[in-house]
Amino acid sequence: MKRGWKISLIALGSAVGLLLAAVAVLLYLVFTPSRLTSIANRLAKDYIECEARFGRVSLSLFKTWPNAGLRLEDVVLVNPCPTAPGSDLFAVAPASDTLAGVESLAVGLDLRAFLKDGSVIVRQLCLENGFANLYTSADGWSNLDVFARSEDTDTSSSGQFPERIDLRRICVRNLSARCCDLRQGLAARADCLGFTLCGGWEQQSANGRLRLSLDRLRAVKTDTAGARLLDADLSHLALSLRGSGPMDSLQGRLRLSLDNGALSLSGKPYITDPARASRKKLLSLNIPFRADLQNRAAALSQAVVSLLGYSLSLNGALSLPHDGVPLTTDMTYAAADWQIAELLSFLPADLAKALNGFNADGRLSLSGKVVGSVGSGRLPVVDAHILLHRGSLDLASLPSLPLHKIEAEVAARLNLSADSLPSAPSDLQVLRLSAQSGGSSLSVTGRVDDFLSARQVNARIRGNVALDDLAAFLPPDLRLRGASAVDLKVQSRLSDLTSLALERVKAHGTLLLDDLDVQTDSLHASSPHLRVALALPAKRAAAKPSSDILSAHITGANLNVEAAPNLEAEMNAPDIVVSCPNLLDKRQPLSARIALRCSRLSAQKDSLFSAFTDTLRLKGSVCRSPKEEDNLLRQWNPVASIDLDRLALSAPGMTDAVRLTSFIFDFRPEVCSIREADVLWGVSDYHLSGQVRGLQQWLSHTGMLTGSLDFGSHYADIDQLMAILSGMGADKDTLEQQRAADNISPAANPFIVPKDVDLKLNTHIDRCVAFGNDLADLSGSVSLSDGTAVLDQMGFTCKAARMQLTGLYRSPRINHLFLGLDFHLLDIQIEDLLDMIPTIDTLVPMLASFRGKGDFHLAAECNLDAFYRPKMSTLLGAAAITGSDLVVMDNDKLASIARLLQLKDWRQRDGLIGIDSLSVEAAVFRKEIEVFPFLLDLNKYRLCVGGRHTLDNACNYHLELLKCPLPVRLAVDVNGTLAKPNIKLGSVKYAELYKPEKRDALQTRTLAIKQMVREALEANVR
């Protein structure tokens, strides 16, 4: 540039500058602060109807450059409030006569427009250190009504948006404001409010920016009765909003930050003390947006909403309601790393109370989408994908079952619109859910259909369960230990699962149990491994409805069971089906239906009694009664049908095991029905059938065991059977004390009739051995009744005779037994009779001299000692002996009697002494035996014999010859002792005995008694 031009431009600029400076000095000298202040106060009276004071008004050229400005200082507006009754709202915003006060207010005007056409255009406004008190009375009067009303009635431009806005700057610093509206029941207070606003509008395009800060905002809203509907106290609020662009595509960003605060609605706090104590910002917004102001729509991109440090990212479109179109949204959201425990501590009191006893923790992440409309009963569809990491859950209702290490992934679609629920219900899909509790771990997959209504669950549960973790779900007296691998499929409403309403749950699956241990007060079961197939509802026959809801099919290698008192059992390869009602319902007794099968069962009691069976089949039920602590049967009330194959039993004192080749019976609490029982015991075999009653009372020693059984056998060792039954139900210690007190030899083992039993045995035995005698065809009934044994018309045979016995046997003490019998021996050899019943030789001594067959009848009762020897002092009875074609053994005593009676040719040709017939009746009373007169036919002779003897061998017998070849009547008396009798001739006294027309009364009575005895003895012979 040439030097001349440069100097000219510098000179011109200096001249313009000096001109402007001169104008400014002139304006300042003309419009002095005092002059301007006076003008402002004078004009205020024309436009402001309340008291207004301007402390100082001055021009400002440089602060508002390039605009000219006015600076107002110490501005005060006073508008007295009417007297009003006191209100709680005044505590927040007290009424005051001072409407407003400003320390400094600077206004920038467009000088160019003013100089050009006199237009007054405000470009800048800056307010510092001001306050305002706004008041509206209950009748609608407001202290803001301070400006004079305009007389211009033209409202044609009213409501039109200006074509151009150019706002360079509005700035407010340190403004405090109070508002009290008694008509609306609203009071608010803002402290240290500051904001700046700048921007413009031209040709459908906007550009602006707003920044706002507030130290504290307090607001209260009440109803007509004065109750607080809203109470808010917010502190340190900062807001930033900027935007630019045309109205249909305005781009901008909204930022908001709220450090802390308190909020109550209807008296209920919604910002809790933990939330207020948190160092995190209460609310934070960072929302980039693109807005269509004409259609009231906006699109968000990476918008972040943060509450107490927990952020939610939003992307998508949002349309506000307009022209009848409801609010619509198509928004995606995402959140990560939410700490559940801390979030729960921030919940309002009402929600926290609803979650009382619900403690949860973990890190939560979620993402999803919200699509749909809001309004007119419509709500959007919400898609959610939820991830939970390292979660935990502790419920007060289940204190012993806290969950930890919860990992979850859930996808949900929630259709919140009531109109679309029937056609498109919500659903929730559990992609994975795993948790641990104690020693247990579970994983769940599945779905919940109609999640907002029916909540129908269809899930699969797998995992490993430590059974002792289930203690909270079980009755207190039922204890479980062991481990279980679970694979279970469930279909149910969610409400039924959470309330454990198992009767409305469908489920099936398997449990693999290892080291199982189940224990109640009276039962203990264990197994190294079992497989359990579960079914809900219980599988049952259609024709047999029941209240059972759960069934389990149990199989495994072996199962051990211990039942009180001291009963142990082991099952090999058990196959058990159990069905039961709701075990978790404590209002119902513990009960179950059982079907059991095992290939081998072994059991023992007190390590002494033992049982083994190859196959066991059982069907039945149990119902537990906790009050019955001492009686196992009453405690469980079992009902069962049992089928055993090849059962072996052994017990102390049994030289041979008892084997049941088949055992089928039905058991009820009061009746046990034996349908079939085939028993092998040593060389014996037995077949039983019938019923037994009162087993519960018998085991608890409160009643008797009663029943009737059919008892059959091909071969039976009665001695062996009596040995095992002897003393059953008796106190062993008492028996030993009796043995010691009576000084009884150990060799004596009398049969002690079982106590507390009343059993009848209908017996038929082909062959047996009893008391060393071989018997056959034994039939009749045997009754055992509380220490008394009764044999009723028991018939049997042996090699010597046919026999029939009716007897009664009691054993009150070992050495004091009682026997009463009605005994018949038919066609028995007399010598065998004496071998079988040696006591007969004592009752009828002369029988030892006879040989041949006869009939023997005996009815007697006496006490016995421990060796079954009669106590003769107690003997009472009667006997009858009948024989024919007998032989008398020759001896010196008989020869002496024959010589005295002049018997000749009384022997047969072979030298034997034959007796055509014999009929003897005898009566026993204590130690005296009376033999009634009886006849002996010896070849050509007939003798009548009668008399008595005692157990000390003293005798008094009379033998009289009634018929002989010679016309003589001789008689012999035998006195002294049986060992050394005194034989001599005696007087005749039986001559008229068998002549009815000549016998006397005594003889008649004697024969009548003799006949009575025989008839009585023979009356029961079958």
Side-chain angles (χ1 to χ4, degrees), residues 695-879:
L695 188 58
Q696 286 186 352
Q697 294 84 348
W698 183 65
L699 290 176
S700 61
H701 305 290
T702 60
M704 296 183 64
L705 183 68
T706 64
S708 177
L709 299 173
D710 291 334
F711 180 83
S713 173
H714 296 293
Y715 182 83
D717 187 341
I718 302 299
D719 295 333
Q720 183 186 50
L721 190 61
M722 291 176 63
I724 196 64
L725 295 176
S726 179
M728 182 182 295
D731 190 338
K732 300 298 183 182
D733 293 337
T734 301
L735 294 177
E736 291 302 320
Q737 292 173 3
Q738 292 178 8
R739 184 180 292 274
D742 295 342
N743 195 21
I744 301 172
S745 170
N749 288 299
F751 176 67
I752 304 299
V753 184
K755 295 282 190 180
D756 299 331
V757 297
D758 187 1
L759 295 175
K760 181 179 180 181
L761 304 177
N762 300 313
T763 306
H764 181 80
I765 301 174
D766 293 341
R767 293 185 305 116
C768 69
V769 58
F771 299 97
N773 298 299
D774 292 328
L775 308 177
D777 295 329
L778 188 149
S779 63
S781 66
V782 178
S783 298
L784 303 176
S785 180
D786 196 22
T788 299
V790 177
L791 282 71
D792 185 13
Q793 296 187 359
M794 182 69 68
F796 49 93
T797 63
C798 66
K799 63 180 181 178
R802 293 183 298 109
M803 290 173 277
Q804 179 180 314
L805 174 63
T806 297
L808 183 146
Y809 176 81
R810 289 197 299 265
S811 53
R813 292 180 62 87
I814 291 181
N815 200 40
H816 186 72
L817 313 174
F818 174 81
L819 175 65
L821 54 85
D822 179 12
F823 189 35
H824 306 275
L825 293 168
L826 307 178
D827 294 333
I828 186 170
Q829 293 288 343
I830 292 179
E831 59 270 27
D832 292 336
L833 171 62
L834 297 177
D835 290 340
M836 186 179 296
I837 309 175
T839 308
I840 298 300
D841 187 29
T842 303
L843 299 179
V844 187
M846 68 284 295
L847 283 180
S849 301
F850 291 90
R851 293 294 183 268
K853 286 187 176 182
D855 295 338
F856 175 74
H857 308 278
L858 174 64
E861 64 176 50
C862 68
N863 292 328
L864 310 175
D865 65 9
F867 287 95
Y868 297 122
R869 292 177 301 208
K871 297 180 178 180
M872 293 301 183
S873 61
T874 65
L875 182 61
L876 177 64

Side-chain angles (χ1 to χ4, degrees), residues 93-116:
S96 173
D97 289 342
T98 301
L99 171 62
V102 178
E103 182 178 313
S104 173
L105 175 64
V107 180
L109 304 176
D110 189 339
L111 183 59
R112 182 182 302 174
F114 179 76
L115 295 176
K116 182 179 180 180

Side-chain angles (χ1 to χ4, degrees), residues 92-93 98-103 127-134 172-179 188-195 213-217:
V92 177
T98 301
L99 171 62
V102 178
E103 182 178 313
L127 186 152
E128 295 182 359
N129 301 327
F131 69 90
N133 288 299
L134 309 179
V172 175
R173 296 189 183 96
N174 194 22
L175 173 64
S176 296
R178 298 175 183 178
C179 173
R189 173 178 176 178
D191 295 330
C192 297
L193 172 65
F195 68 88
S213 64
L214 180 65
D215 278 1
R216 185 183 182 190
L217 174 64

